[in-house]
Amino acid sequence: MTHDAIVIGGGLVGAAIAHGLRGQGLGTVLLDEGDIAHRASRGNFGLVWVQSKGLGAPWYQRWTRGSAGEWPGLAADLAARTGIDTALSQPGGVHLCLSEAEFDDRAERMARMQAESGNHGYDYRMIRAPELRDMLPGLGPKVVGASWTPYDGHASPLGLLQALHRAFTEAGGAYIPNAKVTAATAAPHDFRVETAAGAFAAPRIVLAAGLGNADLAPLFGLNTPVRPQRGQILVTERARSILSMPTTTIRQTGEGTIMLGDSMEEVGFDTRQSPPVMAEIARRAALSFPWVAELNVIRAWSALRVMAPDGLPIYDQSDRFPGAFTANCHSGVTLAGAHARLLAPMIAAGALDPMLAPFSAKRFDVPRAA
Amino acid sequence: MFRARPEARPATIEVLVEGTPVLVPEGASAAAAVLLAGLPAIRATPVTGSPRAPLCLMGVCFDCLAEIDGVPNRQSCMVPAAPGMRIARQHGARAARP
């Protein structure tokens, strides 16, 4: 079947782009692998987060902040189309520091972020514990302070994924599940993929298959050297609303559960959970907010982030086969606003904006030092 | 609403469900005591406030959440009844105590 665009990958990145392409009027088919896929979109923490991203890479800082800026429009659009509340809340956010050394490191990092922000500015404050205690109830005695920016927030990742899918299909997009790509042929502006659910052809194709992109990209003259990085999350029972803003590692959802997370492990394609890491997540949470320790943990899981060698997203269009694009990142929630409302129009127009040039995988094409 | 099935064990453990004494056999759960007490609901959900009573009785549905001996949000089907146990309604989400 011929469409205007094929998007491979039905997670947050693919669904946001597919929704955006549909909004540009393109007949779009979204191919999803199936439940054997790693599904990072179903395991993530749900932050719409700006303050930690882009040190030494101001283009990433701008892209992330731009996405946070697009989020209210995306959330309103999705709510109007689907009635699904993505539980977006952007009250600002804090990164808690549990020692003077952590506080000093953080202060230096934030100062460098501000210095790198150029004309875009970067509003932040380092807040000492006494003032922080007035902002966040029940802060533990070990917390010495925090960094704060007004740009941060959070949302429901599952609500977002469901809303993107529903908005896409209700606008006439074709969602095809159990459609892992088994073969592909590429020519400039002429792509054909074979899947278990049939064959599809289009002049445009977007690779948004997460970790699957590593194998798909070479078929289209692209390079996406992404690797898995494991993160683990603990979830408590619901409690009455108590946290007015998210922290980097602790947030309270719209329904009241407290989510604890943000571990990083280099363990390959291993989605098991490990008690030492879970214990460390719980330990830091209880140091941050001792009252968390009274709550029951009712769920825990791990998921695999999609990481480039330098931790930044990769966006590219194929030189050999124009019309083939790739989108790779580990921040499918934060960047959903940008993917749906900024990246998708570029793909529809046939060229990535020069602002995305630093995200090309060409940055990895440097000779290795002997 | 509920009756105990024929039970070889005598009902010897007295617990308090919303202040009312209820006798259950040794090994019975707090949820069994709630059902025997005939309450229309043991909790109200945090989001809509709709009433809930014990349902799955095997730790999955979370409909039987109750405040047991002053501790909120406990799955009463997973808690063995003990003499003098106080089982009370859970209204909405528990409060975390800063």
Side-chain angles (χ1 to χ4, degrees), chain A residues 213-225:
Chain A
N213 270 5
D215 289 335
L216 282 173
L219 305 177
F220 300 90
L222 288 156
N223 175 36
T224 60

Side-chain angles (χ1 to χ4, degrees), chain A residues 12 37 57 150 153 187 189 214 245 260 274 278 297 303 310 323 328 358:
Chain A
L12 286 171
H189 304 293
M245 64 173 65
L260 318 172
S274 57
M278 297 164 80
V297 171
D310 58 3
N328 308 265

Side-chain angles (χ1 to χ4, degrees), chain B residues 62-87:
Chain B
F62 287 72
D63 275 352
C64 68
L65 295 182
E67 185 176 303
I68 297 179
D69 290 336
V71 179
N73 256 11
R74 298 194 70 185
Q75 287 175 276
S76 59
C77 72
M78 295 281 98
V79 179
M85 176 179 277
R86 290 169 293 115
I87 305 163

Side-chain angles (χ1 to χ4, degrees), chain A residues 138 237-240 291 294-295, chain B residues 47 73 91 93-98:
Chain A
E237 62 188 318
R238 291 178 181 181
R240 282 177 211 161
W291 51 262
E294 284 185 30
L295 299 175
Chain B
V47 176
N73 256 11
H91 290 285
R94 73 178 288 181
R97 283 174 292 205

Side-chain angles (χ1 to χ4, degrees), chain A residues 12-13 40 60 63 210-211 213 226 304-308 311-315 327-336 339:
Chain A
L12 286 171
V13 176
Y60 183 33
W63 183 239
L211 292 165
N213 270 5
V226 290
L304 300 177
R305 294 187 188 87
V306 180
M307 291 299 279
L312 270 57
I314 302 171
Y315 303 108
N328 308 265
C329 75
H330 65 271
S331 297
V333 175
T334 298
L335 294 176
H339 291 162

Side-chain angles (χ1 to χ4, degrees), chain B:
Chain B
M1 185 154 73
F2 292 96
R3 274 181 303 150
R5 62 178 187 177
E7 172 63 75
R9 301 167 299 176
T12 55
I13 309 283
E14 184 180 286
V15 301
L16 294 169
V17 179
E18 284 283 292
T20 303
V22 176
L23 284 170
V24 296
E26 192 165 344
S29 67
V34 168
L35 294 174
L36 284 170
L39 295 183
I42 192 64
R43 75 158 176 130
T45 62
V47 176
T48 65
S50 86
R52 291 287 191 270
L55 177 67
C56 78
L57 300 175
M58 59 183 192
V60 173
C61 75
F62 287 72
D63 275 352
C64 68
L65 295 182
E67 185 176 303
I68 297 179
D69 290 336
V71 179
N73 256 11
R74 298 194 70 185
Q75 287 175 276
S76 59
C77 72
M78 295 281 98
V79 179
M85 176 179 277
R86 290 169 293 115
I87 305 163
R89 284 198 174 93
Q90 170 79 39
H91 290 285
R94 73 178 288 181
R97 283 174 292 205

